Amino acid sequence: NIVRAFWFSLFVAMAGCAGASDTAGPDYEGEIKIKLIDAPAAFDQINIVVQRIEIHRGTFSSDNGWRVINDQTTTYDLLKLRNGVSDTIVFTKTPIGTYDKINVRFGISDVVVDGFRRTLLIPPELSDGFKISFPFTIEQDKQYQLTFDFNAGRSVKQTSASQYTLTPVIRIQETLLSGSVSGAVLPANSRSTVFTLAGPDSVSTLADTTENNGSFELVDIPEATYSIYIVPSVPSFKDTIITGVQVIRQHDTNIGVIILRPNP
């Protein structure tokens, strides 16, 4: 009986240690998926280099508990990621648990302005990455989805005649709790910006001119009722506001074709 009690106690102790480990096995994993979209900006290209993405365990100190979820250096042309087009920057399994921060490490990137390529510098304060506070939970055998809406226009700062610096402005949205708004703005050559306000954040895009149909889509907006603002870059057309647009999670609200009125 004494021997049996000893082995039983040892088994319980070992099981408890295994359960407390941060390196949970495949039976204690979920998935995380992060996609990248962009708001419009006045550049020909914005090529952002992402070197590493990490998430932080909420139960650890700020210096410990980081887990790498992507370390494949990849370049993304942000200006291609609009009107429903996105790029997946993370898709991996990770231990279940509560996380509270995301850290994105950027490499030396570049922008193209009026046909000229310029280096996009990473400031010293971002040498260890751009940390974002965003609590979330990974559950067993479930996929957690996030959207990074990179506001390129506010993130790229011109610091001299030929030098630009990256100061990231990123809206994060839980994908499965969001919906979208789509439609079209005519005439397409009005080159209209379409945007709305989601709390303190703006969500914007450019109505398409390549197919001359003026189509647009505002994606991954939290469920709520919004006003949609349409601002043409051609001054011969008036600004337009569409009010009372309801966004429902996992649903697209199509507001149809908006015909811009001419300015007198």
Side-chain angles (χ1 to χ4, degrees), residues 1-13:
N1 290 339
I2 295 176
V3 173
R4 183 180 300 172
F6 169 79
W7 284 112
F8 177 78
S9 300
L10 182 60
F11 171 79
V12 170

Side-chain angles (χ1 to χ4, degrees), residues 119-123 155-159 163-167:
T119 298
L120 184 56
L121 300 178
I122 307 301
S155 298
V156 177
K157 305 293 185 183
Q158 185 172 5
T159 53
Q163 184 171 296
Y164 295 81
T165 301
L166 179 65
T167 56

Side-chain angles (χ1 to χ4, degrees), residues 48-54 68-76 89-90 103-109 122 126-130 166:
I48 297 294
V49 176
V50 177
Q51 294 180 326
R52 178 181 294 185
I53 301 176
E54 305 162 302
V68 177
I69 54 175
N70 187 0
D71 60 358
Q72 301 297 313
T73 299
T74 307
T75 302
Y76 303 93
I89 59 175
V90 172
N103 188 37
V104 184
R105 300 195 183 203
F106 297 99
I108 300 298
S109 308
I122 307 301
L126 295 183
S127 59
D128 291 330
F130 176 65
L166 179 65

Side-chain angles (χ1 to χ4, degrees), residues 80-239:
K80 293 181 178 179
L81 305 179
R82 60 172 64 135
N83 285 328
V85 178
S86 64
D87 213 334
T88 299
I89 59 175
V90 172
F91 188 17
T92 188
K93 293 183 180 296
T94 195
I96 62 173
T98 300
Y99 298 84
D100 63 352
K101 295 184 186 69
I102 304 170
N103 188 37
V104 184
R105 300 195 183 203
F106 297 99
I108 300 298
S109 308
D110 66 67
V111 297
V112 178
V113 187
D114 297 327
F116 293 94
R117 191 173 300 275
R118 307 294 187 189
T119 298
L120 184 56
L121 300 178
I122 307 301
E125 59 268 25
L126 295 183
S127 59
D128 291 330
F130 176 65
K131 293 180 175 62
I132 309 163
S133 293
F134 190 88
F136 62 95
T137 301
I138 300 296
E139 299 181 69
Q140 185 171 337
D141 300 327
K142 293 184 179 181
Q143 184 181 99
Y144 185 78
Q145 298 182 20
L146 286 175
T147 298
F148 281 10
D149 186 357
F150 207 116
N151 192 320
R154 295 173 58 195
S155 298
V156 177
K157 305 293 185 183
Q158 185 172 5
T159 53
S160 70
S162 61
Q163 184 171 296
Y164 295 81
T165 301
L166 179 65
T167 56
V169 177
I170 301 174
R171 177 181 70 93
I172 301 183
Q173 172 62 37
E174 188 173 347
T175 310
L176 296 180
L177 298 183
S178 63
S180 62
V181 176
S182 63
V185 180
L186 294 178
N189 61 8
S190 63
R191 300 195 301 278
S192 295
T193 298
V194 183
F195 73 94
T196 191
L197 299 175
D201 300 312
S202 63
V203 183
S204 61
T205 190
L206 291 176
D208 185 34
T209 59
T210 57
E211 299 295 332
N212 208 36
N213 60 12
S215 62
F216 70 87
E217 186 176 5
L218 297 171
V219 299
D220 296 305
I221 307 172
E223 191 173 53
T225 300
Y226 295 89
S227 293
I228 306 299
Y229 301 86
I230 301 167
V231 181
S233 61
V234 177
S236 55
F237 296 100
K238 288 185 176 181
D239 296 354

